[in-house]
Amino acid sequence: MAKILINKISYKNFKGISHYELDLKSHDAKAFGRNASGKTTLADGFRWLLFGKNLSDEKLNPKPLDEHNKEQLGLNPEIEAELSIDGKNVILKRVQEEKWTKKNGALEKTRGSDTTKYFIDMVPVKEKEWKEYVSGIAEEGLFFILSNTGSFMRLPWKKRRELLVELSGVTDEDIIKSDSNLTELSKILENHSIDDMKKILAGQKKEIKQQIEGIPLQIQENQDAIERLDLADIDVEQVKSKLMDAVEDVSKKEERLLITKQGDPALDYQEQISKLNIKMSDEKVNFLSGKNLTTQNLQEQVNGLQRTVNDLRSKKSQCEAEYYKIESTLGVQEKEINDLRAEHKRLMSISFEDHQKNCPTCGQELPTEKLTETIEKFNQDKAERIEENVKVGKGKNQDFRANFTKFAELKIDMEELVVQLADKEKGLDLLNDELTFQRSKSGTFEDTASYKNIEKEIADLQQRVLTAKADSSQAIQEAQADYDQSLKAKEELQDQLRQLDQVKPFETRIAELRAKDKELREQNQDIERKLFLIDEFIRLKVKTTEEGINSKFKLVQFKLFDVQKNGGLNEVCEATYQGIEYSTSLNNGAKINCDIDIINTLSESHDLYLPLFVDNAEAVNELIDSKSQVIELRVSEDKTLKVEV
C-alpha cells in the first residue's frame, strides 16, 4: 500500500500568506477561518508544490498581490513540505524566483521570466528530475482526483465513466462471452473498441442516409428528362414493326418508279389491275364461304359442331382400337390360364413309381436310407412345382380380371360414343341445310358493294393504261410522288427510334438508382442490426458493471446508462445518493461525503492514499471515515487562520 502523509508544510510569500507553518505530524486536521483568510491557499500550496497548479487543477501564479492587484516585486513564493511516503520521510521544496537582467548601455535592470527551483531532501534537481520523482509518487491526474473532494465529479462524464469501468474489472470480452446472442459482435468490432465501432457505424449510417435521401431527387431528374422528350405515347415495338413495313414499301415504290422510268408505264397499271382481280376473287370466295354478316354466325356454328363430330369420331376410333386390342389379349390370357390349370392337374396326379426304387445304373433296389432320401426329394420337387404353378396362375388370373373389367368399361364407353356421334351428326346435317338455305337468300356477289368498288378501280386503271400508252410523264410523276411519300414515312419512323434511343440512358440510370436505393437500404438495415447488438452489449455491460461498481461504494450509486422514451440507450455517468442525483438536487454536505466515498473506493482500487483536502467542510455535520489524511477547510468567525490537528 502506498500512503502519503503531510508531516509539516511551510508557506512563504505564497499568495496572501507571507509566512505560515502547518505542523500536522501525519495527523488529520481542521483549518478554520473566514472567507479569504487563507484556508484554500493551504490546499493550493500543496498542489503548487508538486505540480505548479491550484486546487482547481489550473496553472497558478503564486506571487503575492498588493492592494491594486499587482504583483509585489522582490518576494519569491516558496513551499517546503516534509512528507511521509510509506513511512519514509522526504523533504520537497519549490521556489519561484524573479529574474532581473541589465542590458548593455541600460541604466536599470529589467525583469524577465521567473525561474523555478526544485529541491529533494535539500538537493537541487532539474525540472525533469522533479517531474519524474513526483509522477513516481502518483500520476498527476490521479493525484488531482484523490487529493481533493469534488475533483472526480468535475471530470468530463466520459472520463468518469472510463475510470469506473476500469474499476469494475469487467472486460468487453467477458461481456460478449457471457451472452450467446452477442457472439457475432467480436467479428463486427474487427479489433475496434465498442465506442469506436459505434462511431464508425453511426458515420456509415449518416452517409447512407444522405445517399438514400438524394436518390429520389436523382430519379425525378431523369424522369423529368424523359418527359421533356415527349415520347410517352410511343410504343417502341410498334414503331419497329411499322419501320420494317415502311422499308419494304419504299423498296417496292422504288422498284415501281424504276420500271416506270425505264419501261412501259402501262405495265404498272396492268400489274395493279391484276392485283385487283386477285382481290376480287378473294372477296368472292369470302362471300361464298359465308364470311358475310348474314351467314357468319351460322357458319361458325357449323364449324364448331363439325369439330365436335370430328372429335367424337376420333375418340370412337381410339376406343374401338383399344377394345379389340384388349379382346385379343383376353383370348391369349384365357388360353394361358387353361394351360396352367391342365399342368396343375397333371402335377397333382404324379406319384412315386415302384421302378424308381431301383438304381438307374445297376438296377438293384436302393438302400432304405437312399430310398427315403429319393422319395423326400421327389415330394419336395413336386410341391415346389405345384406352388410355382399356383403362383403364376394367380398372377395370370389377376391380370385377366383387370383386363376384363377394362374391356367391359370400354364396351360401355364405345356404345355411349356411338349414340353421341349419331346425335351430333344429325344436328350437323340440320345446320348445313339451314346454312345452304340462308346463302340462297343472300343474293349474288355481283350485287355487293365490294364487287362494285373493285370493278370501278379496275375501270379507272384501264383508262390510265390507255392514257399511259400515249403519255408516260404523268405515270412517272405519280410513281415519284408515291416513292417520296413512302421515303418520308420511313424517315419519320427512323427519327422516332432515334428519339427513343435518347430515353435509354435515362431509363438505365433510373434502374441503377433504384437498385442502389435497395442496396443502401439493405446496408442500412445491417448497420441498424449491428448497432442493436452494440446497444444490447452496452445494456448487459451497464448491468454487469453497475452491479460490480456500485458494490464497491458505501454511499454512492452510479447510473451509467439512461433509457430514452423511444427505447434507445444513452450513455451517462451520474452519481446518486439515496436516489438523488449528485449534479442536480444533492446538498453540499451530502456531496462532500459522496466525494470522500468515491475517493476511498478509488484509493483502495489503486492502493494509493494521498492527503485529502476537504473544502467547505462546514457544510457537513460529520464526515465519513477515510484511510487518507484528511485536512478539513471550514468557514468560521475566526478572523485569522486557525488549525486544529
Side-chain angles (χ1 to χ4, degrees):
M1 178 180 70
K3 188 168 185 178
I4 291 88
L5 302 170
I6 299 175
N7 288 333
K8 182 168 59 177
I9 183 169
S10 61
Y11 304 79
K12 184 177 180 181
N13 300 322
F14 185 81
K15 296 178 66 176
I17 298 177
S18 60
H19 186 272
Y20 191 85
E21 185 173 289
L22 187 61
D23 191 1
L24 302 179
K25 297 181 175 61
S26 298
H27 296 305
D28 294 346
K30 296 179 182 179
F32 299 92
R34 294 182 179 180
N35 290 328
S37 62
K39 300 185 302 299
T40 305
T41 302
L42 297 179
D44 285 341
F46 184 62
R47 286 279 292 151
W48 181 79
L49 167 67
L50 298 175
F51 302 105
K53 296 180 180 179
N54 62 14
L55 198 62
S56 299
D57 203 39
E58 299 168 338
K59 283 289 185 180
L60 174 65
N61 181 11
K63 294 284 287 186
L65 304 177
D66 60 18
E67 65 272 13
H68 302 295
N69 208 32
K70 292 183 178 180
E71 292 183 357
Q72 296 184 38
L73 301 179
L75 300 178
N76 296 325
E78 178 182 314
I79 300 290
E80 182 178 315
E82 180 184 310
L83 304 179
S84 172
I85 303 177
D86 291 336
K88 182 180 179 180
N89 293 338
V90 62
I91 298 175
L92 301 179
K93 182 178 180 181
R94 182 184 188 121
V95 181
Q96 181 174 311
E97 294 183 348
E98 296 175 359
K99 186 177 181 180
W100 295 84
T101 57
K102 183 178 180 182
K103 295 181 180 180
N104 293 332
L107 296 177
E108 296 182 356
K109 294 181 179 180
T110 57
R111 185 184 175 190
S113 298
D114 290 357
T115 59
T116 302
K117 293 183 178 180
Y118 307 93
F119 302 87
I120 301 176
D121 283 335
M122 309 311 293
V123 178
V125 295
K126 295 182 179 179
E127 182 180 12
K128 181 180 178 182
E129 296 175 280
W130 177 269
K131 288 182 177 180
E132 289 176 353
Y133 181 83
V134 172
S135 64
I137 299 173
E139 183 269 327
E140 183 177 353
L142 186 60
F143 194 102
F144 174 66
I145 294 171
L146 300 183
S147 63
N148 181 27
T149 55
S151 298
F152 179 81
M153 291 305 298
R154 283 194 293 270
L155 292 173
W157 70 268
K158 289 187 177 180
K159 179 62 177 177
R160 295 200 304 268
R161 192 173 184 280
E162 180 184 333
L163 291 172
L164 290 173
V165 170
E166 290 176 0
L167 183 65
S168 72
V170 178
T171 65
D172 289 353
E173 290 76 13
D174 296 334
I175 302 295
I176 293 172
K177 289 178 181 178
S178 68
D179 189 340
S180 59
N181 294 324
L182 300 176
T183 303
E184 189 188 359
L185 195 57
S186 297
K187 185 177 179 181
I188 293 173
L189 292 176
E190 295 179 343
N191 299 322
H192 292 93
S193 67
I194 289 289
D195 289 339
D196 287 346
M197 181 50 65
K198 195 169 184 180
K199 291 175 184 177
I200 291 170
L201 292 174
Q204 292 175 351
K205 180 177 172 63
K206 182 179 180 181
E207 183 179 350
I208 288 174
K209 182 181 178 183
Q210 290 174 347
Q211 292 184 53
I212 291 175
E213 289 175 348
I215 285 177
L217 177 60
Q218 296 179 61
I219 291 176
Q220 188 60 51
E221 289 173 349
N222 284 273
Q223 288 175 338
D224 291 344
I226 292 174
E227 289 178 4
R228 285 194 293 271
L229 293 173
D230 195 21
L231 301 173
D233 298 332
I234 298 177
D235 187 331
V236 178
E237 296 303 321
Q238 187 178 15
V239 171
K240 288 181 178 179
S241 178
K242 287 183 177 180
L243 181 58
M244 290 175 64
D245 293 340
V247 170
E248 185 178 355
D249 188 54
V250 168
S251 179
K252 290 180 180 179
K253 296 292 177 64
E254 186 177 19
E255 184 180 357
R256 178 188 167 193
L257 177 60
L258 185 62
I259 291 172
T260 304
K261 288 180 177 180
Q262 295 179 352
D264 186 356
L267 292 175
D268 184 51
Y269 296 125
Q270 289 172 349
E271 182 183 353
Q272 293 182 55
I273 290 171
S274 297
K275 290 180 180 179
L276 285 171
N277 284 326
I278 294 171
K279 183 178 180 182
M280 181 79 80
S281 298
D282 291 340
E283 291 291 331
K284 187 173 183 178
V285 170
N286 290 337
F287 178 82
L288 295 175
S289 65
K291 291 188 178 179
N292 55 343
L293 294 175
T294 307
T295 59
Q296 183 176 357
N297 185 47
L298 242 135
Q299 182 67 51
E300 289 175 355
Q301 292 182 48
V302 169
N303 294 341
L305 191 53
Q306 183 65 60
R307 286 192 294 271
T308 302
V309 168
N310 293 341
D311 185 50
L312 286 170
R313 287 172 179 168
S314 175
K315 288 181 179 179
K316 179 174 173 291
S317 297
Q318 292 175 4
C319 189
E320 286 175 345
E322 192 169 357
Y323 176 84
Y324 292 123
K325 180 181 177 182
I326 293 178
E327 185 179 36
S328 175
T329 302
L330 286 172
V332 174
Q333 289 177 331
E334 188 175 14
K335 183 180 181 304
E336 290 175 345
I337 290 170
N338 290 333
D339 291 344
L340 286 168
R341 284 173 180 164
E343 176 66 12
H344 183 269
K345 186 176 181 181
R346 187 187 69 80
L347 290 171
M348 292 297 293
S349 64
I350 296 174
S351 63
F352 190 81
E353 299 294 341
D354 290 340
H355 69 272
Q356 291 178 334
K357 295 179 180 179
N358 298 326
C359 176
T361 304
C362 64
Q364 293 182 1
E365 188 176 346
L366 294 171
T368 303
E369 292 180 1
K370 188 64 176 179
L371 179 60
T372 302
E373 181 182 346
T374 303
I375 293 171
E376 288 177 354
K377 183 177 180 183
F378 168 81
N379 290 333
Q380 183 179 358
D381 180 62
K382 177 181 176 180
E384 289 177 352
R385 292 171 67 187
I386 291 172
E387 183 181 357
E388 178 64 22
N389 178 274
V390 172
K391 181 179 177 182
V392 174
K394 285 182 179 179
K396 294 291 183 180
N397 270 321
Q398 188 176 359
D399 292 342
F400 179 83
R401 286 195 295 271
N403 281 327
F404 187 82
T405 301
K406 190 172 183 182
F407 176 76
E409 292 173 351
L410 284 171
K411 185 176 181 181
I412 295 171
D413 292 344
M414 191 165 62
E415 291 172 352
E416 289 178 355
L417 286 170
V418 169
V419 174
Q420 291 178 20
L421 180 59
D423 180 61
K424 296 299 180 183
E425 286 177 337
K426 183 179 178 181
L428 180 61
D429 291 340
L430 291 173
L431 276 176
N432 275 320
D433 291 343
E434 177 66 19
L435 179 59
T436 302
F437 173 73
Q438 290 296 335
R439 284 177 175 172
S440 66
K441 290 172 59 179
S442 61
T444 63
F445 173 65
E446 286 73 13
D447 295 330
T448 63
S450 177
Y451 172 80
K452 293 176 181 178
N453 290 334
I454 296 173
E455 185 69 19
K456 184 178 182 302
E457 288 185 47
I458 291 173
D460 290 342
L461 286 169
Q462 287 173 341
Q463 183 61 43
R464 289 190 180 188
V465 169
L466 297 174
T467 305
K469 289 180 179 179
D471 184 8
S472 63
S473 60
Q474 182 180 353
I476 294 172
Q477 186 177 358
E478 290 176 357
Q480 183 67 50
D482 286 347
Y483 171 75
D484 292 342
Q485 185 177 359
S486 295
L487 186 62
K488 182 179 179 183
K490 185 190 80 168
E491 291 173 348
E492 288 176 352
L493 290 168
Q494 288 174 332
D495 186 55
Q496 283 186 358
L497 276 183
R498 282 193 293 271
Q499 290 179 342
L500 287 170
D501 287 339
Q502 297 177 25
V503 175
K504 289 181 181 178
F506 297 113
E507 291 178 338
T508 301
R509 181 55 180 160
I510 290 173
E512 290 173 351
L513 288 169
R514 286 175 176 160
K516 183 67 173 177
D517 181 71
K518 180 182 178 182
E519 179 186 348
L520 288 171
R521 291 184 186 278
E522 289 174 352
Q523 291 178 8
N524 188 63
Q525 288 179 355
D526 186 57
I527 289 174
E528 291 282 6
R529 182 182 63 80
K530 292 176 180 177
L531 286 171
F532 174 78
L533 278 179
I534 289 176
D535 286 343
E536 286 297 299
F537 166 84
I538 293 173
R539 285 188 183 95
L540 183 57
K541 182 174 181 178
V542 165
K543 179 182 177 182
T544 305
T545 53
E546 277 188 352
E547 290 174 353
I549 290 168
N550 290 330
S551 66
K552 298 179 182 294
F553 294 92
K554 294 180 179 180
L555 301 181
V556 183
Q557 294 291 286
F558 281 96
K559 179 182 178 183
L560 302 180
F561 204 75
D562 188 24
V563 180
Q564 298 174 313
K565 291 181 179 179
N566 62 1
L569 299 172
N570 188 25
E571 293 182 12
V572 297
C573 184
E574 181 60 59
T576 64
Y577 172 65
Q578 296 182 349
I580 302 173
E581 290 189 355
Y582 180 100
S583 60
T584 56
S585 305
L586 202 62
N587 62 60
N588 288 337
K591 282 184 178 180
I592 290 172
N593 270 332
C594 285
D595 291 334
I596 296 174
D597 185 32
I598 293 170
I599 291 171
N600 285 346
T601 301
L602 292 175
S603 294
E604 183 177 354
S605 173
H606 292 277
D607 199 22
L608 176 65
Y609 298 87
L610 301 176
L612 174 59
F613 287 88
V614 182
D615 202 6
N616 299 315
E618 72 281 352
V620 189
N621 292 328
E622 184 177 357
L623 295 179
I624 66 172
D625 292 337
S626 175
K627 291 183 180 180
S628 299
Q629 181 185 22
V630 178
I631 298 98
E632 301 178 32
L633 307 178
R634 291 177 170 268
V635 175
S636 68
E637 295 300 323
D638 297 281
K639 294 181 180 180
T640 58
L641 186 63
K642 183 179 73 173
V643 176
E644 294 180 359
V645 178

